[in-house]
Amino acid sequence: MRERVVIKWGGGLITDKAALKTVRTDVLDNLAEQLEACLDNEMDVILVHGAGSFGHLKAKQYRLAEGRVDAQGIEGELTQDEAVEEVRQDMLDLNEHVMKALTKRDISAVTLPPHQWARNTGPNFDGDLSLFEGAPPGIVLVTYGDVVECDGDSEFGILSGDDLVVRLAIELPRVKRLVFAMGGVDGVLAEPPQPDKEQNLLKTLNKKQVFEGDHASEIDVTGGIGLKVERGFRVLDHGVQVVLVSGETEERVAGACLGHPVRGTTLVA
Ligand code: IPE
């Protein structure tokens, strides 16, 4: 029986976060090669990618994560509705780069943009995952962080790739692992990275270390990586392995997907 892996390519990994709408093509090409190694080893892949400099800057400027806000609270020449459309288009553009990297390697992949099938935000978002389930073996299904419609007054919001992976990893059958491929770090660090100092990597991480006890405050899990760790533990609770690795080396993402020991952080119960 073929197993599945859910992979998240972080937006900070596949784009240059400091430069608006700039793709790291060499990184994408390398990640595609590593994804191919999974398929070659009979492992089916669900790929989720982030936004990086294709989504976050405009989403932040127009406060899209907050949903509908008073027009006076917005600084910029677009309305929020126009910004929603532009961010969705920017994400389609980024997705096209991702798909190009996959097709260059003859990988068959299909994208399901969340604004077409998902509603509401957070790890309990609404949306039918059966389209992901029905894919023939070897076909990669791709989705990504996006602006989606929301119930109630908020009208819209940002559904993060870190939330998409939770439901995909828990609800799809045969998922063996969830792998977060990140930029700039080797995994979860015991302290923030410092120049000229080797990263103090936590090879394993349990809930206690993060959420309680003496060490909790020492571990830097704020912001992006904190969300991944919190979402990761939800997935681990359902018996799916969770590994966080650097996506900037030649083999760690593929190794983590295939269950090989690689430098990175493995969540443990
Ligand atoms: C964010 O998605 C989506 C938008 C801002 C439109 P993610 O939360 O998955 O993106 P990254 O990985 O942090 O860039």
Side-chain angles (χ1 to χ4, degrees):
M1 189 73 123
R2 287 172 77 101
E3 292 177 332
R4 268 197 182 109
V5 63
V6 176
I7 311 177
K8 164 90 194 278
W9 290 353
L13 169 66
I14 62 172
T15 74
D16 181 348
K17 264 202 156 171
L20 194 61
K21 291 191 74 177
T22 309
V23 183
R24 295 174 77 193
T25 312
D26 50 336
V27 173
L28 267 187
D29 288 346
N30 176 258
L31 288 168
E33 190 174 341
Q34 297 195 61
L35 193 150
E36 190 179 29
C38 296
L39 299 173
D40 289 347
N41 284 277
E42 311 277 298
M43 180 73 100
D44 283 329
V45 177
I46 305 279
L47 175 63
V48 179
H49 66 80
S53 62
F54 279 68
H56 285 295
L57 300 173
K58 217 174 271 169
K60 194 167 175 209
Q61 184 183 356
Y62 291 95
R63 299 171 61 184
L64 302 186
E66 296 169 55
R68 179 76 64 199
V69 299
D70 203 272
Q72 275 134 19
I74 300 293
E75 273 179 49
E77 59 219 24
L78 304 180
T79 64
Q80 271 197 314
D81 292 308
E82 288 165 342
V84 167
E85 288 314 311
E86 287 201 6
V87 172
R88 282 181 180 161
Q89 187 54 52
D90 289 350
M91 289 309 298
L92 285 166
D93 293 347
L94 174 58
N95 178 254
E96 212 172 291
H97 289 283
V98 168
M99 299 306 269
K100 213 185 269 170
L102 297 178
T103 31
K104 255 198 250 173
R105 305 204 71 84
D106 275 339
I107 296 169
S108 305
V110 178
T111 296
L112 300 172
H115 68 263
Q116 295 174 3
W117 61 270
R119 250 188 113 74
N120 296 319
T121 59
N124 301 315
F125 69 94
D126 298 303
D128 180 7
L129 302 185
S130 59
L131 282 172
F132 290 87
E133 204 174 320
I139 306 289
V140 179
L141 284 180
V142 185
T143 192
Y144 53 81
D146 200 4
V147 189
V148 296
E149 285 181 17
C150 292
D151 297 337
D153 293 341
S154 60
E155 296 181 43
F156 51 80
I158 303 281
L159 177 58
S160 167
D162 294 344
D163 290 321
L164 284 158
V165 296
V166 172
R167 283 196 55 208
L168 290 165
I170 292 174
E171 293 177 35
L172 295 183
R174 300 184 281 109
V175 176
K176 181 84 180 162
R177 293 184 191 92
L178 165 62
V179 174
F180 288 101
M182 306 178 296
V185 283
D186 284 351
V188 183
L189 307 181
E191 56 199 17
Q194 286 160 34
D196 307 324
K197 214 177 144 207
E198 206 190 318
Q199 295 186 356
N200 191 354
L201 177 74
L202 297 163
K203 294 194 172 135
T204 60
L205 184 65
N206 63 47
K207 269 190 207 165
K208 270 200 186 137
Q209 282 170 285
V210 183
F211 302 113
E212 53 189 271
D214 296 345
H215 298 290
S217 59
E218 291 167 24
I219 297 169
D220 176 36
V221 288
T222 49
I225 203 150
L227 187 67
K228 289 181 210 324
V229 167
E230 197 276 330
R231 300 302 191 245
F233 279 120
R234 283 176 195 246
V235 171
L236 185 71
D237 284 343
H238 286 78
V240 175
Q241 297 168 13
V242 181
V243 191
L244 298 93
V245 292
S246 164
E248 290 168 327
T249 73
E250 263 170 37
E251 72 298 307
R252 285 184 207 160
V253 180
C257 290
L258 294 169
H260 302 157
V262 291
R263 185 171 166 79
T265 301
T266 301
L267 302 191
V268 291

